[in-house]
Amino acid sequence: MKGFDFHRPASVADAVAFLKGNDGAKLLAGGQSLLPVMKLDLAQPTDLVSLAKIAGLDEIRAEGDTLVIGALATHDQVATSADVKRLIPGLAKLAAGIGDPQVRNRGTLGGSLGHADPAADYPAAVLALGATIATDRRTIPADDYFTGLFQTALAADEIVTAVHFPVPKRSAYAKFAHPASKYALVGVMVAKTGGGVRVAVTGAGSKAFRVPGLEAALGADFTPDAVPDGAVSTADVRSGSEASPEYLAHLATVMARRAVQACL
Ligand SMILES: Cc1cc2nc3c(=O)[nH]c(=O)nc-3n(C[C@H](O)[C@H](O)[C@H](O)COP(=O)(O)OP(=O)(O)OC[C@H]3O[C@@H](n4cnc5c(N)ncnc54)[C@H](O)[C@@H]3O)c2cc1C
């Protein structure tokens, strides 16, 4: 690991100021993704800008029919929050299944979205729930946020500050976890919302993606039996060393049925 300067600004504006015009600077939240990457020398930031001292960035609150979760809320905070459990229990359950207790106590919602790992769990939630990602300068609909493998719509000096989740009628997440890392080999989040059914798959592709054909089928009949074989196409999934596209597509179909069942 290379040496770096460490900064702990007290406000989002100060953090942005550290990032602006400094290509070598990286934000640090829980460090659960960035530090492993640095240890492998795959990232060599000259400056780490910690969000830890910025007050209020981990707040979780209900705002009418929207649940607002601050970027610095840890996975454990999301999993155990009374508001999350009451309003979007499927999201609390998703957070409770991330990694292990150490990862959940340090890792954050904003860090997960900043990293945009294609096997991370939150991307399925923000897409299926039709969330909006708030940053220091704008709001980004989840549908526009993930742009590719570890790629997002964020500018290099942009900071996620919170995620706004519209409260669905029902939602659930089903994950087939990698036995070693607990990352999703495939995870599927299903949400029944006022505007229809939304389904998002993580783990199977180069980024999380929605499944419009399946959303239409579940809009007409919200039952596990309405998820047909082949609901997720092999064309949408990656080919990797761990599993064939056929296996991943089939697994996504099975996880979709389980998620719908869990909603009932
Ligand atoms: C053993 C292990 C198992 C894991 N298992 C899972 C799992 O099952 N499911 C899962 O989803 N994840 C898993 N993770 C990843 C974990 O959830 C990470 O915590 C998360 O992906 C990153 O969050 P962080 O707060 O640690 O971010 P950091 O590591 O601090 O940062 C990650 C990246 O996001 C950027 N960033 C941080 N905060 C912000 C922000 N507010 N705005 C913009 N960019 C930001 C950073 O600059 C960096 O590039 C696992 C990690 C480990 C080590």
Side-chain angles (χ1 to χ4, degrees):
M1 195 190 283
K2 301 277 188 298
F4 52 82
D5 288 331
F6 189 70
H7 311 278
R8 274 199 292 188
S11 71
V12 170
D14 286 350
V16 172
F18 275 118
L19 297 177
K20 269 215 184 310
N22 183 355
D23 289 346
K26 288 287 273 182
L27 285 174
L28 177 70
Q32 297 301 295
S33 293
L34 182 56
L35 294 187
V37 168
M38 287 171 63
K39 283 183 184 168
L40 293 168
D41 266 346
L42 294 171
Q44 299 169 347
T46 56
D47 297 81
L48 281 188
V49 181
S50 169
L51 297 172
K53 289 286 175 205
I54 303 179
L57 217 49
D58 65 347
E59 191 190 3
I60 298 175
R61 64 181 190 279
E63 260 180 24
D65 54 5
T66 300
L67 180 66
V68 183
I69 303 183
L72 214 53
T74 63
H75 310 326
D76 184 66
Q77 279 176 273
V78 175
T80 57
S81 154
D83 280 334
V84 182
K85 286 203 262 192
R86 177 172 55 89
L87 295 171
I88 316 185
L91 184 61
K93 203 165 163 218
L94 175 149
I98 293 176
D100 51 39
Q102 288 89 340
V103 170
R104 292 195 289 277
N105 276 300
R106 297 295 307 171
T108 67
L109 172 59
S112 180
L113 296 182
H115 193 56
D117 191 308
D121 297 298
Y122 277 127
V126 297
L127 275 179
L129 293 165
T132 301
I133 291 121
T135 78
D136 60 283
R137 65 199 68 169
R138 59 179 170 152
T139 56
I140 308 172
D143 284 327
D144 299 336
Y145 181 80
F146 301 100
T147 56
L149 187 70
F150 294 104
Q151 299 292 318
T152 73
L154 293 176
D157 59 1
E158 191 167 7
I159 300 178
V160 175
T161 52
V163 181
H164 296 241
F165 293 96
V167 175
K169 291 179 180 166
R170 300 179 220 166
S171 69
Y173 179 64
K175 155 164 146 175
F176 191 91
H178 189 289
S181 69
K182 304 291 186 269
Y183 273 100
L185 195 57
V186 172
V188 179
M189 184 97 181
V190 172
K192 192 169 189 191
T193 75
V197 175
R198 294 172 66 104
V199 179
V201 178
T202 191
S206 57
K207 63 183 176 103
F209 59 90
R210 287 176 62 194
V211 191
L214 181 53
E215 292 177 348
L218 288 170
D221 176 14
F222 196 71
T223 65
D225 289 345
V227 181
D229 289 340
V232 176
S233 160
T234 51
D236 290 331
V237 307
R238 65 188 158 85
S239 54
S241 55
E242 288 163 330
S244 67
E246 290 75 19
Y247 180 81
L248 290 173
H250 177 69
L251 200 52
T253 302
V254 173
M255 290 303 113
R257 287 189 188 121
R258 287 188 189 173
V260 175
Q261 182 65 51
C263 285
L264 301 178

